[in-house]
């Protein structure tokens, strides 16, 4: 079995590392947070005293960190100079395309194959091993990574060259953020115009207005399949994470001079929603902003 190092054992990383152990990969793990490391020992990870030690004997290094600055710092300081030749590097964090390309460029200079492999699916999918991976990097590295990614996910898709995984992730989430807002305002307007939400759901979910935000994740309590709206918007995908992804999408759009008016508006509305104290609530709670 390939020897793995896993850095970043937070909400997502802990579930992912657990699934790797379940598939019998030997995993040496590291996190700055001691509680996260203690937790990882309970499901069979071996703990290292530093990131440098964790990666030193690995065949594959996987990272799952909060943001681009953490990824850049960790790879530059601890990973790129301490791995064996040909170690495969896989960053699963959601970060900006430019940083993903910059770090994989540094890896390339050292002849180290690197993939950006952000995920779709939240903590429940991370625990269940049912994440979707969107992978950027060359085909040879992608082929090498498939076995470990399959141990953590149900869909592993090669998006293209370095940075393409991050591009797919932020475009998908920009679409999701904007379509959730459109779904929310449509339900509110329908109700004000005298329509019962269930009746509107029955019509729109079978008509041209159908969206995933409506039929799989309805923001209205008691309508459609069970969703965070049925649980006071607890759990699910935090509004703060949606805002993070929308900001990354705006950064990406700016870098290539792309027009994204709906994405821009979605970013503004989610920023306002978070400022009003809703950061930890599921992103569908944005329905409460529309009267
Ligand atoms: P988290 O904050 O729970 O976990 C991040 C972990 O990284 C923390 O335990 C932190 O201590 C550790 N860390 C930070 N810098 C480190 C370093 N230099 N060395 C070692 N450990 C370090 O975050 P999360 O919710 O697990 O999300 C991780 C990534 O996944 C983010 O990029 C996020 O945008 C993305 N994501 C999250 C979700 C979700 O639902 N939580 C869904 C999809 C994608």
């Amino acid at each position: 079995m390939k020897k793995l190092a896993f850095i970043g054992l937070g909400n997502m990383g802990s579930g992912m590392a657990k699934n790797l152990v379940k598939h019998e990969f030997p995993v040496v793990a590291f996190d700055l947070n001691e509680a996260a490391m203690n937790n990882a020992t309970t499901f069979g990870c071996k703990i290292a005293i530093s990131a440098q030690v964790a990666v030193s004997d690995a065949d594959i290094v996987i990272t799952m960190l909060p943001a681009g600055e953490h990824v850049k710092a960790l790879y530059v300081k601890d990973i790129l100079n301490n791995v064996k030749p040909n170690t495969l590097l896989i960053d699963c964090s959601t970060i900006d395309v430019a940083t993903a390309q910059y770090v994989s460029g540094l890896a390339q200079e050292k002849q180290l194959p690197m993939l950006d492999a952000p995920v779709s699916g939240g903590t429940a999918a991370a625990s269940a091993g049912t994440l979707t991976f969107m992978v950027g990097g060359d085909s040879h590295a992608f082929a090498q990574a498939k076995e470990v990614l399959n141990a953590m996910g149900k869909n592993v898709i090669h998006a293209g060259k370095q940075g393409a995984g991050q591009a797919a992730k932020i475009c998908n989430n920009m679409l999701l953020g904007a379509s959730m807002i459109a779904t929310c305002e449509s339900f509110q307007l329908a109700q004000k115009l005298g329509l019962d939400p269930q009746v509107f759901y029955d019509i729109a979910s079978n008509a041209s207005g159908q969206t995933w935000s409506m039929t799989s994740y309805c923001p209205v309590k008691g309508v459609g399949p069970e969703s965070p709206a049925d649980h006071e918007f607890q759990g699910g995908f935090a509004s703060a994470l949606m805002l993070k992804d929308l900001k990354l999408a705006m950064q990406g759009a700016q870098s290539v001079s792309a027009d994204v008016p709906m994405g821009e508006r979605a970013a503004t509305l989610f920023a306002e929603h978070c400022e009003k104290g809703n950061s930890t609530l599921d992103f569908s709670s944005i329905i409460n902003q529309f009267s």
Side-chain angles (χ1 to χ4, degrees):
M1 274 317 234
K2 294 255 190 266
K3 289 182 277 184
L4 310 185
F6 200 108
I7 320 272
L9 303 157
N11 293 324
M12 295 293 288
S14 55
M16 293 162 72
K18 191 174 184 171
N19 281 310
L20 292 170
V21 173
K22 212 162 110 187
H23 283 78
E24 298 184 356
F25 286 103
V27 181
V28 179
F30 178 74
D31 193 293
L32 294 175
N33 180 323
E34 211 177 306
M37 291 220 280
N38 290 338
N39 178 46
T41 60
T42 64
F43 52 79
C45 287
K46 206 173 146 201
I47 293 306
I49 54 161
S50 68
Q52 297 186 0
V53 172
V55 303
S56 59
D57 192 37
D59 299 310
I60 302 178
V61 173
I62 302 165
T63 48
M64 191 55 165
L65 301 170
E69 74 235 44
H70 306 95
V71 172
K72 190 171 160 185
L74 184 75
Y75 276 85
V76 170
K77 266 183 31 222
D78 298 319
I79 298 182
L80 295 175
N81 293 320
N82 290 292
V83 291
K84 297 184 298 188
N86 302 318
T87 300
L88 173 63
L89 309 172
I90 308 174
D91 178 40
C92 297
S93 327
T94 301
I95 67 170
D96 57 290
V97 175
T99 301
Q101 288 172 339
Y102 174 75
V103 177
S104 71
L106 295 179
Q108 214 165 8
E109 282 170 18
K110 294 182 177 292
Q111 269 101 51
L112 294 166
M114 180 160 186
L115 299 168
D116 49 293
V119 303
S120 178
T123 51
S127 297
T130 55
L131 292 166
T132 291
F133 287 89
M134 304 157 226
V135 189
D138 75 43
S139 318
H140 182 63
F142 177 70
Q144 275 182 283
K146 269 198 108 171
E147 192 187 3
V148 281
L149 297 181
N150 279 328
M152 300 183 283
K154 67 171 179 350
N155 295 306
V156 178
I157 302 161
H158 193 194
K161 61 186 193 314
Q162 279 83 0
Q166 298 296 351
K169 164 85 188 179
I170 58 172
C171 290
N172 178 71
N173 280 20
M174 184 177 79
L175 181 55
L176 174 63
S179 71
M180 178 55 82
I181 290 169
T183 302
C184 290
E185 65 187 18
S186 300
F187 268 102
Q188 298 296 60
L189 175 62
Q191 202 162 359
K192 280 201 157 169
L193 292 173
L195 270 167
D196 180 82
Q198 182 64 54
V199 172
F200 177 59
Y201 175 88
D202 291 342
I203 294 169
S205 63
N206 287 297
S208 48
Q210 187 271 339
T211 60
W212 181 90
S213 298
M214 177 187 296
T215 51
S216 297
Y217 212 90
C218 189
V220 180
K221 187 175 182 173
V223 179
E226 195 175 5
S227 71
D230 298 312
H231 305 283
E232 310 298 331
F233 302 108
Q234 298 299 321
F237 184 54
S239 298
L241 286 173
M242 173 51 83
L243 177 59
K244 173 194 165 182
D245 293 353
L246 286 167
K247 284 181 175 169
L248 291 174
M250 292 311 99
Q251 231 175 302
Q254 220 170 17
S255 72
V256 292
S257 304
D259 283 331
V260 285
M262 301 297 282
E264 259 174 40
R265 188 76 186 116
T268 303
L269 290 171
F270 271 102
E272 288 169 6
H273 186 52
C274 289
E275 273 160 27
K276 288 178 184 159
N278 301 304
S279 302
T280 59
L281 295 183
D282 178 71
F283 78 114
S284 62
S285 63
I286 199 160
I287 193 168
N288 292 331
Q289 302 300 333
F290 308 119
S291 57

